[in-house]
Amino acid sequence: MQIVELEMLPLSLRPVLQRLYDMKTTQSALREGVLFSTKRNNYYYDTGTGKVIVLDDDTSYIFRVLFDPTLSAETFLISLTKVDPNAVKNLLQTIDAERLFQRPPLLSMGKEIAAGVTDTEQKVEQIILEVTEQCNFRCKYCVYSEDFSGNRDFGNRRMPTEIAFKAIDWALENSGAKLAITFYGGEPLLNFKLMKAVIERSQAKRGNKEIVYSFTSNMSLMTREIATYLAQVPNLYIMASIDGPRTVHDAYRVYANDAPTFEDSIGGLRILADAYAGSHMPVNINAVLTPPFGFEKLEQVNAYFESLDWLPATCHVNITYPSYGTCPGLDEYYDKITGNPKYALHGMCNPLMIWQQRKAETDGLDAYKARNIYYHSIFDDLVKINNRIIVDEPTLRRGLNGCCVPGKKRLYVTATGEYKACERIGSSPSIGNVDEGVDRELIVKKYVEEFAAQSKDICDKCWAYNLCRVCYAGVCNENGLDMGLKNEACRASRSVALNNLALYHELMEENPEALNCLKDAVIE
């Protein structure tokens, strides 16, 4: 390699330049890290170390050439001659001292997951009971509708008491000092009798074990009797599904006869609030952002939730998009706005994320203003960036993308007693049942070995590997991993990671006090 016009470069830095040249020759820079910008600065995130460095105009120019796959290695060398030689020297010294661009190869994936699966002493942390498939709503974006192929259709089965007790007894025997029990549907309150029976049985048999209960409900079936009972259950957490004010909520959340549901849902939530009578009310809200996705609508929904002063200030409101392909017309709307630059961010159309980030920049992340639709999502995302791997010795995090150990982190029990890896995993292969137990061999084969074998080469080339959040949910079908779904999930995960890196450093520049709330925060 001829290094033209770089006579001032110390010999000790020539190997660093050679490494960059070789990387450019093989176009492998994209696996090493990523460039991103804020209003004030350009940055480089290094995958191997997790470090972020600020780039001045000269180094930013060099890095842009380095990362541009359409430019040759010779063009990269020429770029070095077009800037101040001292800038080149300082850049190479920084790369050498900070051990940047030294991400190790991904030699294997999933060994820790497989070890956790085969460890017969493993302790289950959460068991999720599908107490009923039935629901009194027919939300137009429901993942259980006949228009969505990723899950079962609406069902009529209820979990028998025998199956619930078998599952709970096993979980009590095979958990550690703490066990989470979650009730799932359909609408869980349609089988409140079973919920109550499970709570009472687990309390009677728990010994010194701490049990945490939770469920998500549309709130329409909440009665004073049910609310009074729930208010005295220890360690109970409730998620209420409400999309916003009446016009927004009723547009998609309807009864089976297409009647509106807002009055019953918000009325049920008020009944629950009254039952807690001013004491800590452990409730959060989950909203779904339905079309149109405009900023005006987001402001309307946000103002509504902030106006509910009868809810505790600590009530988090989480908002998400409906799943792609869940209802007629939704996909066409997604397609229509995809090319709108108003909603574009780092190559991905995401009106919700853009709006949430703008709110975080202007309003901060004050926990006392948590009853809005940007705090919870932004807070969780920024904690992940704040707590990312930052090391001097380049490394790759262990694990299998963002996957947990199936059957340990959580175990989903269907109404018929089948075991699934989690409640969001759809039609993917079951991992056992209440009578025969967990099928560890199947888990290792389908959820570890096959998953890793198909993912490894792609993950080895991905700059976002250490920030990856892709898990089994949404990427599996009845045969196991679906690489079409996985590739789409990877693309979205990279976009989110890039956006969050930019937002985190934007706040560091514009409103650093907003990041104080991240200290000591942990998101599992």
Side-chain angles (χ1 to χ4, degrees), residues 22 63 88 167 174 210 212 255 319 347 355 400 430 448 482 506:
D22 293 342
F63 270 50
V88 177
N174 291 276
E210 179 185 0
V212 176
Y255 283 112
I319 187 166
W355 180 85
L400 194 64
S430 66
V448 181
D482 182 320
E506 187 89 55

Side-chain angles (χ1 to χ4, degrees), residues 196-339:
K196 185 177 179 181
V198 167
I199 291 171
E200 292 173 355
R201 183 180 184 88
S202 58
Q203 284 293 308
K205 302 185 69 172
R206 70 183 180 89
N208 295 323
K209 194 183 300 289
E210 179 185 0
I211 300 181
V212 176
Y213 303 96
S214 63
F215 69 94
T216 297
S217 171
N218 62 39
M219 290 288 135
S220 66
L221 299 175
M222 186 64 66
T223 64
R224 298 197 182 281
E225 179 184 8
I226 292 175
T228 300
Y229 176 82
L230 294 176
Q232 57 82 41
V233 175
N235 298 324
L236 171 67
Y237 297 89
I238 302 170
M239 182 74 77
S241 296
I242 297 175
D243 286 352
R246 183 192 308 273
T247 54
V248 173
H249 180 95
D250 283 342
Y252 279 79
R253 296 187 65 81
V254 295
Y255 283 112
N257 63 0
D258 211 37
T261 64
F262 176 79
E263 284 296 333
D264 292 339
S265 290
I266 202 68
L269 187 58
R270 285 301 301 258
I271 289 173
L272 187 65
D274 291 343
Y276 279 89
S279 63
H280 174 64
M281 180 184 175
V283 64
N284 291 320
I285 293 174
N286 185 68
V288 175
L289 177 61
T290 53
F293 297 154
F295 299 145
E296 298 80 7
K297 182 176 184 178
L298 285 162
E299 290 288 351
Q300 176 191 8
V301 172
N302 193 61
Y304 172 73
F305 285 122
E306 288 191 324
S307 73
L308 301 180
D309 55 7
W310 45 271
L311 285 175
T314 54
C315 173
H316 288 166
V317 184
N318 187 46
I319 187 166
T320 59
Y321 292 112
S323 297
Y324 196 87
T326 49
C327 66
L330 182 61
D331 298 359
E332 290 80 358
Y333 181 80
Y334 275 124
D335 295 339
K336 184 175 72 173
I337 67 168
T338 295

Side-chain angles (χ1 to χ4, degrees), residues 340-479:
N340 189 337
K342 177 181 177 182
Y343 302 131
L345 192 64
H346 296 300
M348 185 179 185
C349 179
N350 200 329
L352 175 59
M353 179 173 285
I354 294 173
W355 180 85
Q356 288 177 325
Q357 292 188 359
R358 288 177 181 174
K359 293 294 286 186
E361 291 170 10
T362 57
D363 295 1
L365 292 171
D366 190 338
Y368 294 102
K369 297 179 181 177
R371 200 174 56 246
N372 58 57
I373 60 175
Y374 78 86
Y375 172 85
H376 184 63
S377 174
I378 292 295
F379 180 83
D380 288 358
D381 284 342
L382 292 183
V383 168
K384 291 182 176 72
I385 298 299
N386 188 71
N387 293 357
R388 71 187 186 277
I389 293 174
I390 304 178
V391 292
D392 288 322
E393 182 68 28
T395 187
L396 294 179
R397 70 185 180 94
R398 298 180 178 183
L400 194 64
N401 296 138
C403 299
C404 63
V405 179
K408 178 181 183 294
K409 180 75 174 179
R410 50 166 59 94
L411 184 65
Y412 181 55
V413 188
T414 70
T416 58
E418 260 194 306
Y419 286 160
K420 297 272 190 175
C422 83
E423 75 281 10
R424 299 185 297 123
I425 207 162
S427 59
S428 56
S430 66
I431 60 173
N433 57 64
V434 293
D435 293 316
E436 298 173 356
V438 176
D439 189 337
R440 301 179 193 276
E441 290 185 6
L442 182 145
I443 295 175
V444 170
K445 180 176 184 294
K446 285 289 182 183
Y447 289 97
V448 181
E449 293 176 348
E450 290 184 7
F451 192 103
Q454 296 181 70
S455 301
K456 179 175 168 292
D457 289 345
I458 296 173
C459 293
D460 187 52
K461 299 173 184 176
C462 179
W463 67 263
Y465 182 80
N466 281 345
L467 299 174
C468 185
R469 59 175 62 195
V470 176
C471 71
Y472 300 117
V475 302
C476 294
N477 58 30
E478 63 275 9
N479 298 315

